[in-house]
Amino acid sequence: MNRRLHRRVVQLAAGIALLFGASLTANSSAQADASSGLPSVASTDARSSVTTLTAAQRADLQSQVDETLSTTAGGVQISANEIAWNGGEPILTLPLPGQEQAPAASPAARDLMGFSADDATPDVNWHKCPAGGDDNRWYCFYENSNFGGRRLQWNWAHCQDPIAFDDYGFARKASSWVNTTRNIDHWGMKVEVYSTSVRLWVENPWSQVAYVGDSKNDRAMHAFACRL
């Protein structure tokens, strides 16, 4: 074999090896994603608090999300630990493994809420319940006392059609709450929470309660939220 032909054969072999190696790498990555068992919104969640979780922790978190999705209707997973309904009108946030309180909204949730990077201010962003402009302040319900556990949040009025907590896997689970809406006409929101027929408590704008009390704990079934 002459030198020129030998060089061509070597170059061709090297090219084939490179392509084959790239194919193996791509296939391995695809298999890794598939074997993780996580949907893309969870596997691509780049928050450091998520990426540092172990595979077992991420699988456990996903099983909690899957359970909620399987027992409710219309929910869409938007991150490793968040579910949104109706385009983000309500959002349910689960605590990450090892945390007692649900974390602040993910970038995906903030996009749905219409928040800019600087929109939430610490003085009114109580216990991760988001507060933006006058017309983008939220009211939140928490699974545990002291604003712990899962967080379920809204910012829309529900004065005629009540919020049914069972639609979001949150019936008889509320133990604390936050209302970040401002106490001014048209922007403030007054929230009234009921069991089946008894009014349990009233949430006035710009207020919070760390524990609803033994007689009201884990009894909330639905709520009305009306503009002032």
Side-chain angles (χ1 to χ4, degrees):
M1 182 181 296
N2 62 45
R3 291 183 179 179
R4 182 175 298 175
L5 180 59
H6 177 73
R7 185 182 304 162
R8 291 282 296 169
V9 170
V10 170
Q11 290 174 341
L12 180 60
I16 292 173
L18 182 62
L19 289 173
F20 185 67
S23 177
L24 283 178
T25 301
N27 288 337
S28 297
S29 298
Q31 290 171 359
D33 288 341
S35 64
S36 71
L38 299 175
S40 60
V41 291
S43 63
T44 59
D45 192 329
R47 290 174 292 168
S48 60
S49 56
V50 173
T51 58
T52 54
L53 296 174
T54 66
Q57 288 175 321
R58 298 189 75 165
D60 178 65
L61 177 60
Q62 185 60 45
S63 69
Q64 296 178 51
V65 172
D66 290 341
E67 181 181 5
T68 300
L69 290 171
S70 69
T71 56
T72 59
V76 176
Q77 184 174 357
I78 60 171
S79 72
N81 67 318
E82 293 167 317
I83 301 171
W85 287 264
N86 196 25
E89 178 187 346
I91 297 175
L92 176 69
T93 305
L94 282 66
L96 296 173
Q99 296 184 358
E100 294 185 359
Q101 184 185 68
S106 71
R110 291 177 67 87
D111 285 346
L112 287 179
M113 291 187 287
F115 277 9
S116 67
D118 302 321
D119 212 4
T121 53
D123 57 328
V124 293
N125 196 24
W126 295 327
H127 312 292
K128 311 300 191 299
C129 190
D134 286 341
D135 62 342
N136 197 9
R137 293 175 182 264
W138 295 66
Y139 50 99
C140 301
F141 303 93
Y142 299 82
E143 180 183 16
N144 299 330
S145 60
N146 297 311
F147 318 101
R150 300 183 178 196
R151 181 181 71 249
L152 184 62
Q153 63 187 58
W154 277 267
N155 77 335
W156 287 23
H158 282 268
C159 203
Q160 303 299 323
D161 55 323
I163 295 165
F165 290 125
D166 194 44
D167 291 345
Y168 313 101
F170 214 79
R172 296 188 175 92
K173 288 186 177 179
S175 296
S176 51
W177 58 265
V178 166
N179 184 347
T180 72
T181 65
R182 298 190 66 180
N183 191 19
I184 53 178
D185 289 347
H186 308 301
W187 299 125
M189 198 86 70
K190 181 179 180 180
V191 182
E192 298 185 2
V193 180
Y194 291 79
S195 62
T196 51
S197 58
V198 177
R199 189 173 72 177
L200 299 174
W201 67 80
V202 176
E203 303 178 10
N204 290 311
W206 203 262
S207 58
Q208 58 181 306
V209 165
Y211 182 53
V212 297
D214 292 348
S215 64
K216 303 172 184 178
N217 186 47
D218 292 341
R219 292 185 59 196
M221 294 294 293
H222 63 274
F224 291 90
C226 300
R227 296 282 186 188
L228 296 180

